[in-house]
Amino acid sequence: MQTFDLEAQGLRALNAALHAQAETLSQANWEVVNAKGSHAIAVGLDAPIEVTVKGSTGYYCAGMNSQATVHVHGSAGPGVAENMMSGTVIVEGDASQYAGATGHGGLLVIKGNASSRCGISMKGIDIVVHGNIGHMSAFMAQSGNLVVLGDAGDALGDSLYEARLFVRGSVKSLGADCIEKEMRPEHLEILADLLERAGADAKPEEFKRYGSARKLYNFDVDNASAY
């Protein structure tokens, strides 16, 4: 494992070294120490490497991630895993606002709570939050799955498209065009897989599913794969 002291060596050098792995893959395992809330740690990765961050991070940690596994042993600031394409991002603590925003793929696991707008405009990412989420989460979410083991704040799924929302706890209020939907066998199967992958101690049968009423948007669900 390669240990990188962020305080001594700097953010630019860290990200340059991680980006270089897309060409050489000379070092698959990295440990970042002295993170101290720094912004943009491990952004834009595009290689099957594992990065362990010791401590909390600032804005946009693991943004635009592709293939890599980024494990934050602390909490994460706004925009963690924003525009994520693939791979896995795990936050042991809490996440600030718009976690997983616009994510196209991969798995984001938040072991604590997530703040407002979690999964805003998500486009295929899977997000599992072990705690609670704040208001306006999954706003304009287009596809993917948001799983919440705790409670959800106001206006969940406002202006939702075709993303699936699974909440075990209470929902303070639903946003425009978001309704509770039937939990069918295929949804239980999807949820069971996500809970297992996220290391979540919960049963699929404990959750309710929410989705779009399809009355707000100009969109033909039969053509969803073309968008």
Side-chain angles (χ1 to χ4, degrees):
M1 178 179 288
Q2 178 72 39
T3 298
F4 193 100
D5 189 329
L6 189 58
E7 186 175 31
Q9 297 170 269
L11 180 65
R12 186 180 295 272
L14 169 65
N15 285 336
L18 296 177
H19 291 168
Q21 302 309 306
E23 300 292 336
T24 65
L25 199 59
S26 59
Q27 179 57 253
N29 295 285
W30 296 75
E31 181 182 67
V32 180
V33 299
N34 288 322
K36 295 185 176 180
S38 296
H39 304 314
I41 294 174
V43 296
L45 305 189
D46 192 13
I49 61 176
E50 295 189 12
V51 180
T52 300
V53 181
K54 296 292 188 179
S56 296
T57 67
Y59 286 81
Y60 304 121
C61 177
M64 301 178 288
N65 186 61
S66 179
Q67 303 188 66
T69 297
V70 180
H71 197 154
V72 178
H73 288 265
S75 293
V80 62
E82 184 192 39
N83 205 33
M84 180 175 172
M85 298 296 176
S86 63
T88 304
V89 176
I90 303 168
V91 179
E92 290 291 337
D94 298 323
S96 189
Q97 57 189 343
Y98 45 91
T102 73
H104 288 251
L107 174 65
L108 169 61
V109 179
I110 299 167
K111 297 289 186 71
N113 303 307
S115 187
S116 60
R117 298 175 178 84
C118 179
I120 184 173
S121 194
M122 53 191 280
K123 298 175 172 68
I125 189 174
D126 292 322
I127 303 174
V128 180
V129 181
H130 287 226
N132 307 317
I133 59 173
H135 66 270
M136 293 294 290
S137 290
F139 171 61
M140 293 188 69
Q142 293 157 47
S143 64
N145 299 285
L146 172 61
V147 180
V148 183
L149 276 72
D151 302 328
D154 275 319
L156 175 69
D158 189 88
S159 305
L160 187 69
Y161 286 78
E162 290 304 306
R164 305 181 194 91
L165 314 180
F166 302 99
V167 182
R168 185 170 66 166
S170 64
V171 175
K172 191 168 184 180
S173 68
L174 295 174
D177 210 41
C178 184
I179 59 173
E180 184 178 345
K181 290 193 165 185
E182 177 189 6
M183 184 78 86
R184 299 195 298 269
E186 62 266 32
H187 302 123
L188 292 172
E189 185 176 345
I190 290 169
L191 185 52
D193 177 65
L194 287 170
L195 291 169
E196 181 179 3
R197 290 166 58 200
D201 185 16
K203 298 178 180 178
E205 294 79 9
E206 298 171 344
F207 290 77
K208 293 182 179 179
R209 180 172 75 98
Y210 302 89
S212 175
R214 300 174 180 167
K215 295 181 179 179
L216 185 63
Y217 60 72
N218 295 313
F219 178 90
D220 187 342
V221 69
D222 293 332
N223 298 323
S225 61
Y227 290 87

